[in-house]
Amino acid sequence: AQKITQTQPGMFVQEKEAVTLDCTYDTSDQSYGLFWYKQPSSGEMIFLIYQGSYDEQNATEGRYSLNFQKARKSANLVISASQLGDSAMYFCAMREGTTSGTYKYIFGTGTRLKVLA
Amino acid sequence: KAGVTQTPRYLIKTRGQQVTLSCSPISGHRSVSWYQQTPGQGLQFLFEYFSETQRNKGNFPGRFSGRQFSNSRSEMNVSTLELGDSALYLCASSLRGGTGRLNEQFFGPGTRLTVL
């Protein structure tokens, strides 16, 4: 079973509009972290936003906000006022503990966002 | 503060050869993780090193190995290359690799390996 599910392979949004990228996750851990990364065509993964499982408020970082619904196990990324430079691949990731007491990241399959002028 | 650096950026090898990729983490970061990214499989975790010890490993064959040096720099080696090893190999560093926000991973630009 997929631990991180991103159901939107591709999305279009008009410049200056807001867009929501979906992410659902599956874990039995009580302590975990959720991340969103942006990957432009250059290939580098750029950290956008983090949400801890115990954080009571939704995370925000500039134009990025995370709509965290713990009971539904969803962590959707909201980008407000889209810009042409936001066109990229977006990955949702979860960091959870392992049976050996360490941690690992699990990534979703990504959503390719295209911002239209 | 300099970011994560990876060398080389591009590499072309032939089947059966071996390759070594290098990753220098952000200064002060002690955890280094490696990922393989392909169009078909997405981002897959290879392994993580912390203080020169491998403490987590993904589901990859033994041809994939790595190590970490005392200065936290890490190398990844792939022996007996196969066509399917063609991928973008990403390295990420973090302070300790825990679940807290301060242990978020910062990625390097990647090494794009092509196996002919």
Side-chain angles (χ1 to χ4, degrees), chain A residues 31-33 35 37 39 41-45 47 50 61 91 95-98 100 102-105 107-108, chain B residues 4 9-10 35 37 42-43 45 48 55-56 88 90 97-109 112:
Chain A
S31 176
Y32 52 89
F35 300 77
Y37 288 89
Q39 188 178 42
S41 55
S42 60
E44 186 170 357
M45 298 283 280
F47 166 76
Y50 166 86
E61 294 283 350
F91 290 94
R95 184 172 59 205
E96 63 174 4
T98 69
S100 61
T102 58
Y103 305 90
K104 64 179 180 181
Y105 274 76
F107 284 79
Chain B
V4 179
R9 293 293 310 278
Y10 302 90
Y35 296 86
Q37 186 177 25
L43 258 162
F45 171 76
E48 181 202 6
R55 66 176 185 179
N56 209 352
L88 179 67
L90 291 163
T99 57
R101 176 174 187 166
L102 291 179
N103 293 305
E104 66 197 50
Q105 288 191 333
F106 294 87
F107 284 80
R112 190 166 294 280

Side-chain angles (χ1 to χ4, degrees), chain A residues 15-88:
Chain A
E15 193 179 9
K16 299 181 184 177
E17 291 186 350
V19 63
T20 298
L21 307 183
D22 295 340
C23 172
T24 58
Y25 60 93
D26 181 28
T27 182
S28 55
D29 284 2
Q30 295 301 308
S31 176
Y32 52 89
L34 296 160
F35 300 77
W36 277 90
Y37 288 89
K38 171 184 178 182
Q39 188 178 42
S41 55
S42 60
E44 186 170 357
M45 298 283 280
I46 302 167
F47 166 76
L48 294 178
I49 197 166
Y50 166 86
Q51 181 84 43
S53 57
Y54 292 116
D55 293 344
E56 294 187 353
Q57 292 198 341
N58 287 343
T60 60
E61 294 283 350
R63 295 187 298 111
Y64 305 106
S65 60
L66 201 150
N67 184 358
F68 181 46
Q69 298 187 45
K70 194 171 182 177
R72 297 180 59 184
K73 293 187 175 179
S74 74
N76 298 339
L77 175 71
V78 180
I79 305 175
S80 62
S82 297
Q83 302 171 356
L84 295 178
D86 294 335
S87 294

Side-chain angles (χ1 to χ4, degrees), chain B residues 59-80:
Chain B
N59 297 322
F60 277 81
R63 300 186 296 108
F64 291 82
S65 63
R67 59 177 176 168
Q68 187 180 34
F69 302 95
S70 58
N71 61 357
S72 294
R73 189 178 72 85
S74 177
E75 287 182 348
M76 190 193 90
N77 185 275
V78 187
S79 63
T80 319

Side-chain angles (χ1 to χ4, degrees), chain B residues 29-65:
Chain B
H29 284 193
R30 296 169 64 190
S31 169
V32 173
S33 296
W34 288 89
Y35 296 86
Q36 181 196 63
Q37 186 177 25
T38 59
Q41 298 295 321
L43 258 162
Q44 293 191 295
F45 171 76
L46 279 156
F47 29 65
E48 181 202 6
Y49 286 87
F50 179 81
S51 292
E52 302 179 66
T53 301
Q54 184 185 91
R55 66 176 185 179
N56 209 352
K57 191 176 188 303
N59 297 322
F60 277 81
R63 300 186 296 108
F64 291 82
S65 63

